[in-house]
Amino acid sequence: MKEVHARIQEACKDKLERNRRRGIINRPVRAMVAGIPNVGKSTFINSFAGKACAKTGNKPGVTKGKQWIRLNKNVELLDTPGILWPKFEDQTIGLHLAWIGSIKDELLNKEELAWELSAELMRQYPGILAGRYDLEEQTDTAAFFRQLALNRNCLKKGGEPDDERAAALLLEEFRSGKLGGITIEAPPAESKGS
């Protein structure tokens, strides 16, 4: 946090010097914290402030409006609601943002989302789901969700597997990091000519 504060002061040194020459002293630097929903903007501000100034939650849309938070006599930060592009050119970007909870679940089909996530995890991280949930290794999403629902007691009346509850469980555990360190996007491979 000390480094962030130092960088703010460095970025604004010309403005601070101009204010000092005009006789304006003790005017705090005002900065805005912006980013996609549910990435920790308010948590960052609270950590920076050393106290709970901004409301936080593990879902998008907790910050409803803009709020200025004075960190000290030198810095004020504007907490803002998350922002997203109006349209994604690549639907994979939207899918990844939905997996991490940056798009409200109410706007999505959670079962389809979880099925896509499980298929990707089976492809990129073989064994991670079987290890976490103490299941047989699967390459078939339907078989995995059936096993998960039975293993975690996600059942409907009559003992039938409840795919909806199993899907919600998988998404929550992925988002909270209970599945371990997972990277869903890799940087582009460098070409050999560069």
Side-chain angles (χ1 to χ4, degrees), residues 43-164:
T43 301
F44 166 77
I45 290 172
N46 289 341
S47 295
F48 202 27
K51 59 186 177 194
C53 306
K55 189 175 178 186
T56 62
N58 191 21
K59 62 181 183 184
V62 172
T63 303
K64 300 288 186 206
K66 296 173 275 192
Q67 173 187 2
W68 282 104
I69 297 170
R70 188 171 192 131
L71 301 179
N72 54 45
K73 65 181 179 122
N74 298 319
V75 178
E76 289 182 1
L77 291 180
L78 179 62
D79 190 16
T80 62
I83 51 176
L84 284 173
W85 302 261
K87 183 179 178 185
F88 301 112
E89 289 180 26
D90 180 354
Q91 291 303 307
T92 304
I93 293 170
L95 184 62
H96 292 174
L97 289 170
W99 286 345
I100 64 171
S102 292
I103 299 173
K104 289 185 179 185
D105 284 335
E106 297 81 34
L107 303 174
L108 307 163
N109 180 323
K110 286 176 77 170
E111 267 186 78
E112 287 180 20
L113 191 63
W115 282 52
E116 291 277 348
L117 174 61
S118 68
E120 183 70 9
L121 293 175
M122 287 177 204
R123 188 181 68 72
Q124 280 196 42
Y125 295 91
I128 197 166
L129 296 174
R132 168 67 184 158
Y133 298 112
D134 195 26
L135 304 172
E136 292 177 26
E137 181 64 28
Q138 292 292 334
T139 56
D140 176 56
T141 304
F144 163 72
F145 273 98
R146 181 170 182 77
Q147 279 189 0
L148 177 62
L150 294 170
N151 181 282
R152 291 299 172 103
N153 207 24
C154 298
L155 305 173
K156 298 177 183 175
K157 287 185 179 180
E160 283 297 307
D162 187 338
D163 286 344
E164 192 174 325

Side-chain angles (χ1 to χ4, degrees), residues 19-20 22-28:
N19 284 347
R20 189 188 63 72
R22 292 180 181 160
I24 302 170
I25 52 174
N26 295 330
R27 179 182 285 174

Side-chain angles (χ1 to χ4, degrees), residues 32-39 41 80-84 102:
M32 178 173 63
V33 179
I36 64 173
N38 203 34
V39 293
K41 295 177 295 297
T80 62
I83 51 176
L84 284 173
S102 292

